[in-house]
Amino acid sequence: MVKYCVKCIYSEIPSKTLSLHEKEVVFMENDDLRYSFMIVEGLVKVSKITLNGEEKIFDIFGPNDFLGLVSMLRQDDKYIATATCLTDVKLKLLRKDDVLNAYKSNNKFKDICLSCAMTRTNLFQSQLFNTSNNDIEERILLILEFLSKKFGEQDNHIYILKLPFSKSTLANIIGIRRETLSRKLAAMQKMGTIEIDKNIYKFNRM
């Protein structure tokens, strides 16, 4: 996965460090937007609860990703979704005033920053949108491929992913039931489409 703005100016802002455990909430939808968060270690999901009470996952963020940054740069007053730890997490807390001052301090940086932040945020949503018309097996492989590029590794055309969260979360991301995912993975493994050893997934995307 391409790392945008490797020397991002926000990483130089004075910050506090916050450590949270799996399943702890970083912020809730409609909380006052006071901090942006840079992930140092761990994984965080960003989601909303739909009108029918189901959770809709919008993205999975990992080390060097930012939470709440796009909303902050747009000068929103509230967080627009809920961020929850998928693993133990270490975060840098960046104050709103410090972020906005840094954003405005360099016109060249300002011109590319919002586009960069939105691109990083929208990559996963674009992948989900692009899978919506595929059959379930292909949707599973497309999402696993994206996750492998972000959190796993690639050896020639073989993708290797140590799934960093539960199958229930994976099913939620793909938009299918946990039972459907297990049944499809078993069938795909039997056909040789994918190899699964505990939580390690290997597959060929030639």
Side-chain angles (χ1 to χ4, degrees):
M1 184 65 61
V2 175
K3 295 296 183 182
Y4 297 87
C5 296
V6 174
K7 296 183 179 179
C8 180
I9 193 171
Y10 303 125
S11 64
E12 305 301 321
I13 293 176
S15 61
K16 297 179 181 178
T17 299
L18 175 66
S19 294
L20 297 174
H21 296 296
E22 180 182 355
K23 297 184 179 180
E24 285 195 87
V25 173
V26 182
F27 53 78
M28 294 284 291
E29 181 180 1
N30 292 322
D31 281 352
D32 290 338
L33 200 163
R34 292 188 244 177
Y35 294 98
S36 176
F37 302 83
M38 179 180 176
I39 301 175
V40 179
E41 298 175 3
L43 300 174
V44 177
K45 67 177 178 181
V46 173
S47 63
K48 284 190 174 187
I49 302 299
T50 64
L51 292 177
N52 61 7
E54 295 182 353
E55 181 186 40
K56 172 65 175 176
I57 295 177
F58 290 99
D59 210 335
I60 305 293
F61 293 94
N64 299 315
D65 285 333
F66 291 91
L67 303 170
L69 179 60
V70 173
S71 293
M72 189 169 283
L73 297 182
R74 292 189 311 211
Q75 300 193 44
D76 294 341
D77 294 322
K78 307 286 185 179
Y79 294 107
I80 62 173
T82 296
T84 308
C85 300
L86 288 171
T87 64
D88 289 349
V89 171
K90 183 181 292 184
L91 304 163
K92 285 186 178 181
L93 280 68
L94 310 176
R95 292 177 60 253
K96 188 173 185 177
D97 288 346
D98 291 336
V99 170
L100 293 179
N101 287 337
Y103 175 61
K104 297 172 183 177
S105 67
N106 183 311
N107 286 333
K108 184 177 180 180
F109 174 77
K110 182 178 178 181
D111 287 342
I112 65 171
C113 178
L114 185 57
S115 175
C116 169
M118 291 186 71
T119 297
R120 294 176 71 167
T121 299
N122 289 336
L123 278 173
F124 197 72
Q125 277 300 292
S126 296
Q127 186 69 29
L128 289 177
F129 177 80
N130 290 335
T131 67
S132 60
N133 294 322
N134 295 103
D135 63 36
I136 294 177
E137 287 87 352
E138 183 62 15
R139 284 164 61 190
I140 291 170
L141 288 174
L142 283 168
I143 294 300
L144 287 174
E145 179 182 346
F146 181 86
L147 292 170
S148 296
K149 289 177 179 178
K150 190 168 186 179
F151 303 119
E153 57 186 282
Q154 184 178 1
D155 183 6
N156 292 322
H157 295 287
I158 303 299
Y159 289 96
I160 303 170
L161 172 68
K162 184 175 182 180
L163 193 68
F165 39 74
S166 70
K167 281 187 181 178
S168 295
T169 298
L170 178 61
N172 190 316
I173 294 169
I174 298 168
I176 58 178
R177 296 177 62 85
R178 169 69 165 76
E179 296 80 5
T180 302
L181 175 62
S182 294
R183 186 173 66 252
K184 291 293 184 181
L185 286 175
M188 292 163 69
Q189 191 169 19
K190 186 175 181 179
M191 293 174 60
T193 306
I194 191 168
E195 178 183 337
I196 305 172
D197 182 9
K198 296 182 180 179
N199 65 334
I200 297 176
Y201 294 67
K202 297 181 181 179
F203 53 96
N204 190 322
R205 291 297 281 165
M206 284 189 66

